[in-house]
Amino acid sequence: MSVVGELPIVWDEAYEADIGVHVFPTRKYRAIRDRLLNEGTISEDSIRRPQPAADEQIALVHTAGYLSKMTEGRFSRQDELLLELPYSNQLKQAMWLCAGGSILTGRLALERGLAAHLGGGFHHAFPDHGEGFCLINDVAVALRVLRADGSIERAAVFDCDLHQGNGTAAIFSEEPEVYTFSIHQQNNYPMWKPPSDRDLGLADGIGDTEYLRLLREYLPSILEDHRPDLVFYLAGADPYREDQLGRLELSLDGLRERDESVLEMCAARQVPVAIALAGGYALRFEDTVEIHCNTVRAAVKQFELLGN
Ligand SMILES: [Zn+2]
């Protein structure tokens, strides 16, 4: 891997789909990018705009029936209730672009050792339906594309979102080359949790110390035993103690330490990492933005240690 210059960042303004008044703040993507640019953590030159994923790439994960439903916009009230989002062509385009963004982030991570997507991590999307704010599973699409073209053989998903990665677990359940790890609040959505290769379902109220201890206990052996060519890290902001959708008790500092630990453990074993942001619904919008910015700040530091 070559490691020259700045941490590659993937982002596009069109991620900000209009979903009306909603707990999911799609404006966070632009706000994160703006804050990181304004403080000088990233530069305009480091930001890459993705192409939308091709339908054939989406079809590596999603069924033909679901694809045509999305393309033709045939979403019933029931489908929208499950998705928990209003379907629109703008949303569809944002998610195709976001899947393209995760593919690009994966490729940049392989080239440069580390790359960050200011978006993505829609881990509740299944092959035949979307749910929980997730229309298509961008990370699964990226991994299938990279496996299909021979860029990687083996991969791991480190899903540190508050919610269990049910769609990702189901998609890769019979694909031993892709190891799925999810650490999440057990007593929360999704009700039905198809098994990941390793699930750590946490009791309500778990805080920084126990969370970090568990990551440090489990992740090294996954890296060493599974030997992934690439890790996709879902750095969800929603394990935060002031999140509206969760009851884990991580602090801002604890979440930053989580990011640093994951990146350090991968770097110590020379495993490239592609970062996706995933969820974040803090009471104060500013906190969600700050948690995601901290992930990128940790990545910039780690990228410099890789030899930049
Ligand atoms: Zn979540």
Side-chain angles (χ1 to χ4, degrees), residues 279-307:
Y281 318 94
L283 283 168
R284 284 184 302 270
F285 174 70
E286 290 301 304
D287 286 349
T288 296
V289 173
E290 185 66 7
I291 293 164
H292 289 311
C293 284
N294 277 339
T295 302
V296 179
R297 293 173 188 134
V300 165
K301 265 198 252 167
Q302 188 60 56
F303 192 71
E304 285 164 4
L305 292 174
L306 292 175

Side-chain angles (χ1 to χ4, degrees), residues 136-147:
I136 55 177
N137 197 312
D138 56 290
V139 167
V141 169
L143 290 175
R144 284 266 168 85
V145 167
L146 295 171
R147 276 177 35 73

Side-chain angles (χ1 to χ4, degrees), residues 7 9 28-39 41-42 116-118 235-237 252 255-256 258-260 263 275 277 285-301:
L7 174 74
I9 302 289
K28 76 179 184 179
Y29 303 117
R30 178 189 301 275
I32 294 159
R33 173 249 191 205
D34 287 352
R35 186 174 296 182
L36 292 167
L37 272 179
N38 290 339
E39 70 187 22
T41 298
I42 65 172
H117 190 187
L118 305 187
L252 292 173
L255 286 161
R256 190 178 52 208
R258 171 199 70 172
D259 297 332
E260 290 167 353
L263 298 177
I275 297 170
L277 296 184
F285 174 70
E286 290 301 304
D287 286 349
T288 296
V289 173
E290 185 66 7
I291 293 164
H292 289 311
C293 284
N294 277 339
T295 302
V296 179
R297 293 173 188 134
V300 165
K301 265 198 252 167

Side-chain angles (χ1 to χ4, degrees), residues 21 69 74 104 150 154 174 182 204 215 219 224 254 278 301:
V21 177
K69 179 185 276 190
R74 288 184 286 103
L104 178 59
R154 307 166 68 74
E174 292 178 14
S182 178
D204 293 9
L215 281 189
L219 295 190
E224 283 156 22
K301 265 198 252 167

Side-chain angles (χ1 to χ4, degrees), residues 90-116:
Q90 188 197 37
L91 178 72
K92 184 245 173 195
Q93 287 181 351
M95 293 304 142
W96 253 245
L97 194 60
C98 179
S102 284
I103 297 168
L104 178 59
T105 307
R107 289 202 195 288
L108 289 167
L110 291 172
E111 282 170 26
R112 313 286 301 281
L114 186 56

Side-chain angles (χ1 to χ4, degrees), residues 15-185:
Y15 289 174
E16 194 174 340
D18 181 3
I19 56 171
V21 177
H22 202 284
V23 69
F24 171 25
T26 59
R27 66 193 164 103
K28 76 179 184 179
Y29 303 117
R30 178 189 301 275
I32 294 159
R33 173 249 191 205
D34 287 352
R35 186 174 296 182
L36 292 167
L37 272 179
N38 290 339
E39 70 187 22
T41 298
I42 65 172
S43 75
E44 286 279 4
D45 292 343
S46 68
I47 300 178
R48 300 277 300 266
R49 309 296 176 110
Q51 293 291 313
D55 287 356
E56 306 79 65
Q57 293 176 317
I58 306 282
L60 293 173
V61 168
H62 295 286
T63 63
Y66 184 47
L67 250 171
S68 66
K69 179 185 276 190
M70 288 189 282
T71 306
E72 294 160 19
R74 288 184 286 103
F75 264 64
S76 68
R77 181 83 188 111
Q78 207 55 39
D79 293 329
E80 287 190 325
L81 282 173
L82 194 57
L83 183 61
E84 299 184 64
L85 287 180
Y87 186 83
S88 66
N89 191 48
Q90 188 197 37
L91 178 72
K92 184 245 173 195
Q93 287 181 351
M95 293 304 142
W96 253 245
L97 194 60
C98 179
S102 284
I103 297 168
L104 178 59
T105 307
R107 289 202 195 288
L108 289 167
L110 291 172
E111 282 170 26
R112 313 286 301 281
L114 186 56
H117 190 187
L118 305 187
F122 292 99
H123 57 165
H124 301 311
F126 284 74
D128 64 349
H129 73 275
E131 61 176 68
F133 315 159
C134 302
L135 188 71
I136 55 177
N137 197 312
D138 56 290
V139 167
V141 169
L143 290 175
R144 284 266 168 85
V145 167
L146 295 171
R147 276 177 35 73
D149 72 13
S151 299
I152 57 171
E153 284 180 24
R154 307 166 68 74
V157 179
F158 290 171
D159 189 334
C160 295
D161 190 270
L162 170 81
H163 303 97
Q164 196 247 5
N166 55 345
T168 312
I171 289 164
F172 294 114
S173 63
E174 292 178 14
E175 197 165 326
E177 295 86 354
V178 179
Y179 190 100
T180 53
F181 168 89
S182 178
I183 181 168
H184 49 266
Q185 185 195 344

